[in-house]
Amino acid sequence: MLQGKVNMTGGVSKSVPDISSKGHSTVSRHKRLTTWLFLHDPVMLVAIATPVLLLIVSAASLFYLQIKIQQQDDLIKQLTREQVIVGQLLVQLSTQDAAWQNYVASFGEPEQVLQWQKFKEIQPQTREIANFLLLAVQSDEEHQEIRSFITSLEALWIAYQESRSKLLSGEFSHYEATGYSEGLAGISQLALVEISSSINQRVSNHSKNIISQANQILFYSLLIVVFIGLPLVIISLWFVRQILLHRKQAFTRLNWLADHDAITNLPIRHLWAKKVDSQLRDNGDRGITALVTITNLRAINQSHGRSVQEGFLRSIAEILQSLPGKNLQFSRIVGSDFVIFCGDVENSRDWIAALETQLAKSITMEGFVHRLEYRVGVYVHDQSGLTAESAIGRAEIALLSNTSNRINFYQHEQIQRLQRKTELLAALRFALQKQNFQLVYQPQVWSGSEKLMGVEALLRWQLPDGSFVSPAEFIPMAEEMGLMPEIGSWVLNTGIAQFSAWQKANLAIGKISLNISTQQLIEKDFCQQLIHLLKKYEVEPKCIVLELTESIYALEHRDVLASVKALGCQLSIDDFGTGFSNLGYLVDMAPDVIKIDRRFVQNIHLNERKGTLVANMIDLASKLGALAVAEGVELAEEYRCLKDLGCSAIQGFYSSKPLSNDDLLLFFNDQK
């Protein structure tokens, strides 16, 4: 069932998660997961990687082609440089031959010596160019050819020397010297021409290689693209299309799940509210909102498991969807809670009767027949302009208003009670901070002498307007808010401090009984706090009686209670006979006081059965060594009856109402 605080408009501030935001968060998480799977799917990776790999192969082929072309281009450039040097060398040989011709022509003339010097200056230049050519070439074959050429140059220079000597000695005539040198020079030039032709041939071959390699690479690349790449791309595109199609279907399903309950397929809360708000606008704020909570769903889950529970929920959804009426909207809003809106109904009572008939059906799951245990809160829209969410809140107010009825209709007085509860909840925390509580003390007297045996400290809360809030009203609120440990600590401190003040004033009050809640008892430092207060106010533990309900004993807080008993404090069972029926704790914990609840005491003199029960309680307490104290004694007849039954002490308006400290002093003085 939904649990939460009610706001002033009738809406409910839920402590359960917001289903709508949870739905969208789930979709976002599923989208991220689907995207991850989409990117990590092996088929998808192959489909994406294939064209990428093809592009990489093509790019690598082009890159390889570019490298090869660049290498060939660099080689051609190198050969071109060699060709330029060969050309320079040819020019140099021509220049050298011309210088020899000038020398021969000037033989016997005064400028003969000058021409010879010019000829000799040319020879080192020729040798330098030839050596440069030798360094420039990279081929071993060319190296050999250049070396042979340099050797022929050396032979040519020797021949020039011999020709000059023969010319000087007269063995050669001018004509013979010129012809001899021309022949030798022609041989050298012919060698250079052969070298140049070889270089040109290599340039041509490399150019052809470039074209051939480029054509081969382009041809094989085209084969890869046409016969391998294109089919793979087509297959990849088909895979991509299929995956995208499945992904779209998955997202469609996820989007649907964001707005629907996965078990019952009913719309979740936010979609239901959206549809209902639209209908309310269209039909003039008329309709019925019914909140149905299945109270035995947890028991079915514990008995038969989750799968049966989910089948049970689906069956409930089918039962609800078979309801009569028009413009029906259904939703499973959380856990075992369903909400129904009927936008077109003439008689709300008849429709609710039909709902009750549907819910009375049995459900058979795995051979077991289950009857629905349910409660329904109904809100009939009264053209007040409330939203669907506020209608759920008012239906829940109706559902929580009376736990004895299965079906409850919302009434305006319920919101007033909840408004007061909300106001008191806010004021309660403020009262705790400002310690706006007070203790009053109700005397407990011996039934024989009616003398004071002790007092019970009772908590009171007075509002700023002077009115008091009943403990029966604010104690459950404090427990709901978890404030009882703080309030209980204040009561414990104030009560022990007041008892210490009475002792110092020589008032024989006897004992003081202090009520302890479960939340306070389970605090880790409860015993340490009690020890500290007893030492601080110098009070003997035997003067302190801690009153606890039977439920606290039944919860088996044995270690804490044993520690309290070990301190010397007394334990009292409050409201005996109204809690758990297991009496084993009476043996284990040995309470010092058993307080008989007022419902057994009221009109005990008129009810023989009550008298029998109380007599047995008194006898049980006596045999266990405990005092029997009757609560709520208001009439003299009740007092006399209890006295005759042997009750040890009484507490109630017969002896005294709860008193302030000053009034208690007057009561004490009157008893002297």
Side-chain angles (χ1 to χ4, degrees):
M1 183 177 15
L2 294 172
Q3 298 292 336
K5 300 177 183 178
V6 180
N7 58 34
M8 296 302 102
T9 62
V12 179
S13 175
K14 301 293 178 293
S15 60
V16 298
D18 184 353
I19 300 302
S20 61
S21 63
K22 182 179 179 182
H24 290 300
S25 174
T26 303
V27 171
S28 177
R29 187 164 60 251
H30 279 303
K31 284 183 178 179
R32 292 195 298 270
L33 178 60
T34 306
T35 302
W36 187 89
L37 292 174
F38 173 76
L39 293 177
H40 290 74
D41 185 87
V43 177
M44 191 64 193
L45 286 177
V46 171
I48 295 175
T50 299
V52 173
L53 184 61
L54 185 61
L55 289 174
I56 293 174
V57 171
S58 300
S61 300
L62 292 175
F63 182 70
Y64 176 74
L65 176 61
Q66 180 66 27
I67 291 175
K68 297 300 292 184
I69 291 175
Q70 185 65 42
Q71 290 176 350
Q72 297 293 335
D73 186 58
D74 293 342
L75 187 56
I76 290 174
K77 289 180 180 179
Q78 173 64 26
L79 293 174
T80 303
R81 287 195 295 272
E82 295 177 11
Q83 191 76 316
V84 170
I85 297 172
V86 169
Q88 292 176 351
L89 196 54
L90 284 172
V91 172
Q92 187 67 18
L93 287 176
S94 298
T95 302
Q96 179 178 289
D97 184 61
W100 173 255
Q101 296 295 337
N102 290 335
Y103 168 70
V104 173
S106 65
F107 192 77
E109 299 295 331
E111 57 185 17
Q112 172 184 350
V113 177
L114 179 61
Q115 292 297 331
W116 176 251
Q117 290 297 328
K118 289 182 179 181
F119 174 77
K120 288 178 65 177
E121 291 174 357
I122 291 173
Q123 287 184 1
Q125 296 175 1
T126 304
R127 182 181 289 107
E128 182 180 355
I129 294 173
N131 289 331
F132 184 71
L133 177 61
L134 182 62
L135 295 174
V137 298
Q138 296 180 350
S139 170
D140 293 338
E141 182 181 351
E142 289 179 354
H143 265 281
Q144 188 63 34
E145 292 176 353
I146 299 302
R147 289 184 184 279
S148 299
F149 170 72
I150 292 174
T151 302
S152 66
L153 281 181
E154 296 294 337
L156 178 61
W157 291 328
I158 293 172
Y160 277 132
Q161 293 288 343
E162 291 178 351
S163 179
R164 178 173 179 270
S165 299
K166 290 182 179 182
L167 186 62
L168 291 175
S169 63
E171 293 183 20
F172 276 175
S173 62
H174 290 72
Y175 177 76
E176 289 175 332
T178 300
Y180 181 73
S181 63
E182 287 178 351
L184 293 176
I187 294 172
S188 298
Q189 290 177 352
L190 182 59
L192 276 180
V193 169
E194 290 178 355
I195 293 173
S196 178
S197 298
S198 175
I199 292 173
N200 288 334
Q201 185 62 40
R202 291 178 62 200
V203 170
S204 176
N205 291 339
H206 286 307
S207 298
K208 291 179 181 179
N209 286 339
I210 290 175
I211 296 172
S212 176
Q213 291 176 358
N215 289 335
Q216 288 179 3
I217 292 176
L218 291 175
F219 175 73
Y220 288 120
S221 297
L222 184 61
L223 287 179
I224 292 173
V225 170
V226 172
F227 294 103
I228 299 177
L230 189 58
L232 287 177
V233 168
I234 294 173
I235 294 173
S236 299
L237 291 176
W238 183 83
F239 275 120
V240 170
R241 178 184 175 278
Q242 292 299 112
I243 292 173
L244 291 177
L245 181 61
H246 288 298
R247 188 168 182 260
K248 181 180 179 181
Q249 293 172 350
F251 276 126
T252 301
R253 174 64 177 169
L254 287 173
N255 289 330
W256 186 87
L257 286 175
D259 294 328
H260 293 78
D261 177 49
I263 297 175
T264 62
N265 291 333
L266 294 178
I268 63 173
R269 184 172 185 147
H270 83 94
L271 180 60
W272 177 89
K274 183 178 179 181
K275 292 180 177 180
V276 171
D277 285 336
S278 177
Q279 286 194 27
L280 289 173
R281 287 192 298 267
D282 294 341
N283 63 8
D285 236 8
R286 294 177 61 253
I288 296 176
T289 296
L291 178 63
V292 181
T293 182
I294 309 301
T295 57
N296 62 332
L297 185 65
R298 182 186 295 273
I300 290 173
N301 182 29
Q302 292 174 345
S303 301
H304 303 287
R306 189 173 186 84
S307 61
V308 173
Q309 179 197 33
E310 292 181 353
F312 191 67
L313 287 170
R314 282 190 288 269
S315 299
I316 294 171
E318 293 172 1
I319 288 174
L320 295 178
Q321 287 176 302
S322 62
L323 276 169
K326 298 179 181 179
N327 300 323
L328 293 172
Q329 299 293 341
F330 304 90
S331 174
R332 176 176 174 241
I333 52 178
V334 63
S336 59
D337 291 343
F338 295 81
V339 64
I340 312 164
F341 174 79
C342 181
D344 186 8
V345 60
E346 295 181 358
N347 190 312
S348 60
R349 296 286 177 178
D350 291 343
W351 187 83
I352 293 300
L355 172 62
E356 193 169 11
T357 301
Q358 290 295 105
L359 292 174
K361 294 181 178 179
S362 299
I363 297 175
T364 302
M365 297 292 301
E366 296 187 1
F368 294 94
V369 178
H370 304 279
R371 293 189 60 84
L372 287 175
E373 296 179 13
Y374 62 90
R375 292 179 56 227
V376 182
V378 182
Y379 172 69
V380 180
H381 292 260
D382 55 1
Q383 298 182 337
S384 58
L386 287 183
T387 63
E389 284 291 341
S390 298
I392 293 177
R394 294 201 171 185
E396 185 182 8
I397 291 172
L399 187 145
L400 297 173
S401 62
N402 189 342
T403 57
S404 61
N405 296 334
R406 279 190 169 185
I407 298 179
N408 295 286
F409 283 80
Y410 171 81
Q411 297 175 358
H412 185 67
E413 293 76 13
Q414 295 169 346
I415 193 66
Q416 293 177 338
R417 290 196 295 269
L418 288 170
Q419 285 177 344
R420 172 173 171 78
K421 180 179 179 181
T422 303
E423 293 170 357
L424 289 179
L425 285 173
L428 183 59
R429 190 175 293 278
F430 179 79
L432 180 60
Q433 293 173 351
K434 300 298 182 180
Q435 294 188 352
N436 292 338
F437 296 105
Q438 55 183 278
L439 290 182
V440 294
Y441 307 94
Q442 188 168 31
Q444 298 171 335
V445 299
W446 297 107
S447 58
S449 63
E450 296 189 34
K451 294 296 183 181
L452 185 65
M453 180 191 77
V455 296
E456 179 183 359
L458 301 173
L459 183 64
R460 293 292 183 264
W461 176 24
Q462 187 175 17
L463 296 176
D465 61 3
S467 63
F468 283 91
V469 183
S470 169
E473 186 175 9
F474 75 81
I475 291 296
M477 295 182 190
E479 291 176 342
E480 180 183 339
M481 297 174 67
L483 298 178
M484 281 310 299
E486 296 180 63
I487 295 176
S489 296
W490 181 86
V491 170
L492 198 63
N493 182 78
T494 305
I496 295 177
Q498 182 61 66
F499 190 83
S500 176
W502 292 332
Q503 284 187 324
K504 292 178 180 178
N506 295 319
L507 299 177
I509 299 298
K511 300 176 182 180
I512 184 169
S513 298
L514 300 169
N515 289 279
I516 304 298
S517 71
T518 304
Q519 292 181 3
Q520 182 181 5
L521 187 68
I522 62 177
E523 289 287 305
K524 293 181 179 179
D525 61 345
F526 175 75
C527 288
Q528 287 77 8
Q529 181 187 12
L530 182 59
I531 294 171
H532 169 72
L533 293 175
L534 292 173
K535 290 182 178 179
K536 177 180 179 181
Y537 296 111
E538 299 178 350
V539 174
E540 294 185 17
K542 66 180 181 179
C543 298
I544 305 300
V545 181
L546 301 184
E547 290 198 9
L548 306 103
T549 62
E550 282 185 294
S551 60
I552 296 180
Y553 285 93
L555 288 174
E556 298 185 353
H557 300 298
R558 306 287 176 86
D559 51 347
V560 181
L561 296 177
S563 299
V564 171
K565 288 280 288 184
L567 290 176
C569 296
Q570 296 189 7
L571 296 178
S572 172
I573 302 176
D574 199 11
D575 303 330
F576 180 74
T578 63
F580 292 84
S581 60
N582 185 354
L583 300 179
Y585 64 87
L586 293 175
V587 177
D588 297 332
M589 301 312 302
D592 302 282
V593 179
I594 294 178
K595 300 189 73 174
I596 303 171
D597 188 71
R598 63 181 301 170
R599 72 185 67 181
F600 300 110
V601 172
Q602 288 178 339
N603 296 319
I604 187 174
H605 59 289
L606 302 176
N607 191 318
E608 185 178 350
R609 294 173 65 87
K610 282 187 178 181
T612 302
L613 281 174
V614 171
N616 281 284
M617 291 180 186
I618 295 171
D619 184 58
L620 176 65
S622 176
K623 290 181 178 179
L624 291 175
L627 290 177
V629 179
E631 293 183 291
V633 181
E634 298 181 357
L635 304 176
E637 293 82 359
E638 295 171 349
Y639 166 70
R640 285 193 292 270
C641 183
L642 290 167
K643 180 180 177 182
D644 293 341
L645 292 174
C647 186
S648 304
I650 66 165
Q651 176 182 340
F653 276 43
Y654 171 76
S655 56
S656 174
K657 66 179 182 179
L659 304 172
S660 66
N661 179 49
D662 294 338
D663 292 337
L664 181 64
L665 295 180
L666 295 175
F667 177 85
F668 181 79
N669 292 329
D670 289 341
Q671 284 207 331
K672 288 183 178 180

